[in-house]
Amino acid sequence: MAKARAAGKGRALRSTPIVVMAHPSFPAKSLNDVIALAKKEPSKLTVGTTPPPTINYFAAELFKAMAGAEITIVSYKGTGPLTNDLVGGHVAVGFNTIPPAIGNIEAGRLRAIAVAAPTRSAALADVPTAAESGLPGFEALQYYGLSAPAGTPRPIVERLNKELRSMIESEEMRKHIVAEGADPIASTPEEYAANIVREEGKWAALIKKLGLKIE
C-alpha cells in the first residue's frame, strides 16, 4: 500500500495533532512538569488514550519512550469515555486529538498542555508545541487525505490535486477545517506520498522497538 501511494496518487487535506491534556486541577503545566512528575513517582502517573492501533495510543508509547519515564497507559474504548474520565478527574493525563476535546478545552473543563506537532495548531494557537513545552521531536499527528488507485493517469491526478488545493486554500474551507480542530494542508501528491512513507516508517519502528503486538 505504501508503494502505491508513494507513486504520487494522492494528496493530504488536513491534519490534527495529538494534544496532551489534563483536568484543570492537574499540577503539571508543561511537558517538562509531566515528565518530572512521572519520574518522581514511577508508574503512578496514569495516561489515558484510545486503544491500539490508534495514533493516540502510539503517541502515549512514543512519549513514554522519549521521556524515559514509567507511566501507566490506560486504554479506553473511544474518545467519549476518555474525555468523560478526563473531565471527571479519573485519569490524570489524556492523549487525544483536538476535535473530540476542543469544546471542553474552550470551556475550561480540560487544560491543553501541549500539541505534539512541529508548529502550533490554528485551532489552539495559545497552546505550545511539544518542543516549546520541553520535549523536542515529540510529534504525533493524524492525517486525512485522498488517494487514487495506482496507475491513475498523471493528468487526472494533477487535475484532482489542482481542484482540491483550490478548495482547501479558500478562506471559507480553511475556517471550517480550523473550527473542527484541524489544520488545512494544501500538499502536492509527492509531498503526501513522502509523508505517508515517513509516518509508516516512524510508527513501524516504534512498534518493533517496543515489541508491541497489534491485533
Side-chain angles (χ1 to χ4, degrees), residues 7-10 151-161 188-190:
K9 306 302 182 184
T152 300
R154 184 67 189 184
I156 294 178
V157 173
E158 291 178 348
R159 177 62 185 276
L160 286 171
N161 181 263
T188 65
E190 291 74 22

Side-chain angles (χ1 to χ4, degrees), residues 15 17 115-121 128-132 137-141 143 202:
S15 69
V115 293
T119 59
R120 294 193 180 196
S121 170
T129 64
E132 293 174 316
F138 176 53
E139 297 176 9
L141 298 96
Y143 292 92
K202 171 183 176 178

Side-chain angles (χ1 to χ4, degrees), residues 18-50:
I18 289 297
V19 182
V20 182
M21 58 189 71
H23 189 273
S25 64
F26 185 63
K29 306 299 182 184
S30 69
L31 283 188
N32 263 341
D33 293 340
V34 175
I35 294 170
L37 190 62
K39 289 183 175 180
K40 183 179 180 181
E41 299 181 285
S43 300
K44 186 175 180 179
L45 179 67
T46 56
V47 172
T49 75
T50 48

Side-chain angles (χ1 to χ4, degrees), residues 88-191:
H90 304 303
V91 63
V93 177
F95 282 61
N96 206 352
T97 51
I98 297 176
I102 191 168
N104 284 302
I105 292 173
E106 292 176 340
R109 291 185 290 268
L110 290 176
R111 174 164 48 83
I113 296 174
V115 293
T119 59
R120 294 193 180 196
S121 170
L124 296 174
D126 294 334
V127 180
T129 64
E132 293 174 316
S133 192
L135 193 60
F138 176 53
E139 297 176 9
L141 298 96
Q142 185 165 301
Y143 292 92
Y144 300 85
L146 179 67
S147 296
T152 300
R154 184 67 189 184
I156 294 178
V157 173
E158 291 178 348
R159 177 62 185 276
L160 286 171
N161 181 263
K162 179 182 178 180
E163 296 299 329
L164 287 167
R165 180 186 287 271
S166 177
M167 178 184 69
I168 294 297
E169 290 178 339
S170 70
E171 187 65 22
E172 181 181 359
M173 182 56 69
R174 292 182 70 86
K175 287 182 178 179
H176 177 72
I177 291 174
V178 171
E180 289 189 335
D183 292 293
I185 303 175
S187 71
T188 65
E190 291 74 22
E191 289 169 341

